[in-house]
Amino acid sequence: MKHIILIGFMGAGKSSVGKELAALLGIPFTDTDDIIEEQAQMKIAHIFQEYGEDYFRDLETLTLRQLLAVRQPMVVAVGGGLPLRAENRDYLRQLGTVFYLLAETDTLIKRLSGDQQRPILQGGGLREKITQLMADRGGAYDEAADIKLTTDDKSCRQIAEEIKTYV
Ligand code: S3P
């Protein structure tokens, strides 16, 4: 079995579903944001603030290269902006099967309103931000995905069970 990769917009449920799925399959779970924070010994918001977004995106690419060396199959949730780089999409393909978790804008707004951890969402109207970013990013997500799943009105357990039928 190859790795199981979860991609999608912030708030799509990648980490929550990923943990549920990993428990269901009895394999480890990891999250590229957690790896980056642990290695940098810094919160993502702080990395953005101190070094800028491009630097963070380079760390995402480095993290994927590190994951390519891991033999044991894992569930891997990746940051919402990671699939935007063509190079990263190549790495994702090499790593395993890519599941794209989709959510409606209204669902994302419910899950993300009040968020203060994600630098990309700070300042300005949340709905406008999400709508614009989804329009910009949808193509990259589609390109990276092997399988697309909707998540609205489903529990993490339900989504994990659905993914399990493919692996
Ligand atoms: C980002 C998503 C975040 C995190 C960073 C940037 C993005 O991850 O990587 O704040 O550009 O969409 P989640 O999708 O896990 O929130």
Side-chain angles (χ1 to χ4, degrees):
M1 189 169 87
K2 296 191 286 183
H3 297 306
I4 297 165
I5 323 290
L6 305 182
I7 68 165
F9 202 76
M10 296 165 271
K14 297 167 299 228
S15 301
S16 314
V17 170
K19 284 176 193 157
E20 190 81 42
L21 177 63
L24 210 58
L25 297 172
I27 61 175
F29 167 77
T30 192
D31 184 315
T32 56
D33 287 341
D34 293 344
I35 296 173
I36 290 170
E37 288 190 338
E38 198 184 313
Q39 293 185 353
Q41 285 293 297
M42 226 184 259
K43 287 282 176 202
I44 286 169
H46 196 199
I47 300 175
F48 267 70
Q49 203 183 348
E50 286 289 316
Y51 302 104
E53 180 172 350
D54 286 351
Y55 180 78
F56 173 74
R57 299 302 173 196
D58 289 342
L59 295 182
E60 289 189 314
T61 302
L62 279 177
T63 304
L64 289 178
R65 289 197 195 122
Q66 290 171 10
L67 286 171
L68 280 171
V70 179
R71 287 271 154 259
Q72 185 188 13
M74 294 185 301
V75 177
V76 184
V78 309
L82 182 146
L84 303 182
R85 274 194 186 178
E87 182 186 9
N88 292 354
R89 294 196 292 276
D90 274 348
Y91 287 139
L92 292 176
R93 263 187 289 277
Q94 292 174 46
L95 276 169
T97 309
V98 180
F99 291 85
Y100 173 14
L101 303 189
L102 279 156
E104 297 290 341
T105 304
D106 284 341
T107 306
L108 294 173
I109 288 171
K110 270 189 225 141
R111 294 180 187 162
L112 293 168
S113 64
D115 179 275
Q116 297 187 335
Q117 308 302 320
R118 295 172 168 96
I120 298 283
L121 297 178
Q122 304 314 305
L126 188 58
R127 179 175 295 276
E128 291 70 29
K129 279 230 159 88
I130 291 174
T131 308
Q132 185 60 55
L133 283 167
M134 272 306 294
D136 295 344
R137 293 177 169 193
Y141 292 150
D142 280 338
E143 215 180 288
D146 292 308
I147 294 148
K148 279 169 133 180
L149 299 171
T150 58
T151 63
D152 308 276
D153 305 319
K154 291 180 190 168
S155 69
C156 291
R157 175 78 186 199
Q158 280 174 309
I159 303 161
E161 300 268 9
E162 209 175 320
I163 295 174
K164 190 167 175 254
T165 64
Y166 290 95
V167 297

